[in-house]
Amino acid sequence: MKEDRYSRQRLFSPIGDEGQRKIREKHVLLVGVGALGTSCAEQLVRAGIGRITLIDRDYVEWSNLQRQQLFGESDAALRLPKVVAAKTRLEKVNRDVQIDIHIKDAGREELEELLEGVDVVLDATDNFETRLLINDLSQKWNVPWIYGACVGSHGVSYTIIPGENACLRCLMDTVPLGGATCDTVGVISPVVQMVTAHQVADTMKLLVDDVAAVNQKFITFDLWQQRYSSISVNNVKKQDCPSCGLNPTYPSLSIENQTKTAVLCGRDTVQIRPAYVKERDFEELKQRLTQSKVKENAFLLSYESGDHRLVFFRDGRVLVHGTKDITEAKSIYLQTVSG
Ligand SMILES: [Zn+2]
């Protein structure tokens, strides 16, 4: 029976009927819909969250399928944007949840707009720049966020509640965050599940207002080596921290720290965000391109140009595959769009 779908969660006394009702009223923002993001999203949607907002800039590729649990082979074959493929799957799991999706780069403007009415932000990104941005926004708007990262067989998780504990910027000098390296050494799926187990458990505690139960320690583990540690970081909070201190300046929110062009983590790919393109007109673009080299779906247009592949999104962004060199990527892009 449909009304019984949350019975095991309601029987769990720290949640109960009251907690289940609260979960149903809450809204979580998930930044990144890769390995961590798909796992968190599935758990929260099954748990009966009221609303979930997903933002991701990428599309599904074959190398994602080993660990990104909401995606299947047809998603990779069609190169569907990750948020689109995720939403289709999540709606089959639980149609009562409101699922909002955004095929966008998670920059300052985008995130700040999405933050309204959000109860918890979940970090499922692959880069430190975005995490510091989330960290500053969390402090500025007083919304808790949960850091998570994994590489190889190693994972970390840490829950940050503004006004309560040390923020990510406080930790940077003292705690080996290990998330700064791109995933060039690969990652195994169980590590993803272990990180999201911590992230989602703490999310549930926050959603049912059981703040006392939230893990205030920095969790780090290695599943291959069987090493687990939880480090107390209470004394790491800094009074003069520019994010959570007495006179915050939120450095990651300043214009000069907004990169428009970036090499994507662990990939031979550069993302370009042309400032002057607000919306890409695919029909106009196609007139400049050799038709036989164009592949297109409802969301993106992909173009083979020699050893490189360019993927154009409607929001103006372009991924240039086959290079890590920003200058080269920009010149390939300009040559392509100028026909
Ligand atoms: Zn801080």
Side-chain angles (χ1 to χ4, degrees):
M1 260 159 60
K2 198 180 167 208
E3 54 267 33
D4 281 333
R5 68 183 295 157
Y6 306 119
S7 62
R8 300 304 185 276
Q9 216 162 258
R10 285 191 279 106
L11 283 167
F12 178 66
S13 61
I15 294 179
D17 290 337
E18 172 77 0
Q20 191 59 45
R21 195 181 49 72
K22 286 181 177 173
I23 290 172
R24 194 82 196 97
E25 289 166 356
K26 300 293 169 75
H27 179 191
V28 167
L29 169 61
L30 240 170
V31 186
V33 185
L36 296 173
T38 51
S39 173
C40 286
E42 179 162 353
Q43 292 179 65
L44 289 169
V45 164
R46 286 188 189 278
I49 183 99
R51 182 178 171 195
I52 190 164
T53 298
L54 311 175
I55 177 169
D56 190 282
R57 62 186 176 187
D58 220 339
Y59 58 89
V60 181
E61 293 182 281
W62 288 91
S63 64
N64 301 150
L65 302 183
Q66 158 254 4
R67 67 197 180 286
Q68 303 190 10
Q69 69 189 60
L70 294 175
F71 307 140
E73 294 184 353
S74 63
D75 301 322
L78 294 169
R79 290 186 187 148
L80 283 183
K82 289 185 173 181
V83 293
V84 172
K87 181 175 176 163
T88 304
R89 171 73 189 134
L90 291 170
E91 281 176 341
K92 287 184 186 147
V93 171
N94 190 345
R95 65 195 147 147
D96 294 335
V97 178
Q98 182 183 340
I99 301 160
D100 297 334
I101 58 169
H102 301 270
I103 312 170
K104 282 180 183 165
D105 201 24
R108 183 220 163 131
E109 279 173 39
E110 291 82 2
L111 289 179
E112 204 153 28
E113 216 177 285
L114 296 179
L115 213 54
E116 203 188 320
V118 164
D119 297 287
V120 180
V121 180
L122 275 169
D123 161 38
T125 65
D126 57 4
N127 67 87
F128 232 73
E129 195 187 332
T130 311
R131 291 190 178 111
L132 286 173
L133 183 58
I134 297 171
N135 188 63
D136 277 2
L137 288 169
S138 143
Q139 294 295 329
K140 185 181 170 192
W141 295 104
N142 195 26
V143 182
W145 76 284
I146 306 178
Y147 163 59
C150 49
V151 61
S153 54
H154 181 79
V156 296
S157 171
Y158 178 57
T159 301
I160 297 162
I161 306 175
E164 289 270 331
N165 56 354
C167 81
L168 190 68
R169 205 179 288 277
C170 288
L171 261 59
M172 283 171 67
D173 300 335
T174 27
V175 179
L177 294 173
T181 51
C182 285
D183 57 348
T184 45
V185 296
V187 63
I188 53 167
S189 172
V191 176
V192 173
Q193 302 301 337
M194 184 94 162
V195 170
T196 66
H198 283 102
Q199 287 184 299
V200 175
D202 268 6
T203 303
M204 287 174 150
K205 296 171 200 171
L206 289 166
L207 298 183
V208 303
D209 301 315
D210 191 0
V211 180
V214 172
N215 190 347
Q216 302 257 344
K217 291 183 172 172
F218 188 89
I219 307 288
T220 166
F221 57 85
D222 188 313
L223 282 182
W224 211 264
Q225 309 285 343
Q226 285 82 246
R227 286 196 206 109
Y228 304 88
S229 65
S230 57
I231 307 161
S232 175
V233 287
N234 286 338
N235 53 358
V236 177
K237 189 167 167 66
K238 294 176 183 158
Q239 298 269 301
D240 61 349
C241 171
S243 298
C244 74
L246 296 172
N247 298 298
T249 55
Y250 310 121
S252 291
L253 304 189
S254 67
I255 299 297
E256 54 269 31
N257 285 332
Q258 308 289 306
T259 47
K260 293 288 177 197
T261 299
V263 182
L264 295 198
C265 195
R267 294 168 55 184
D268 225 10
T269 302
V270 174
Q271 174 181 264
I272 298 172
R273 297 176 72 186
Y276 53 91
V277 184
K278 288 280 167 250
E279 207 186 316
R280 179 81 61 188
D281 181 343
F282 283 0
E283 291 309 313
E284 193 259 354
L285 174 66
K286 273 193 287 185
Q287 288 171 13
R288 299 160 190 260
L289 306 175
T290 313
Q291 295 305 311
S292 60
K293 296 178 180 174
V294 174
K295 271 188 197 157
E296 180 182 15
N297 64 33
F299 312 96
L300 50 87
L301 185 150
S302 143
Y303 186 68
E304 304 293 335
S305 169
D307 295 337
H308 301 95
R309 192 170 81 236
L310 291 90
V311 178
F312 296 85
F313 291 83
R314 291 203 186 270
D315 68 357
R317 289 179 304 115
V318 189
L319 297 180
V320 183
H321 296 288
T323 180
K324 283 188 173 74
D325 182 332
I326 289 179
T327 315
E328 187 191 13
K330 280 184 175 169
S331 104
I332 294 166
Y333 163 67
L334 289 172
Q335 276 171 23
T336 307
V337 294
S338 59

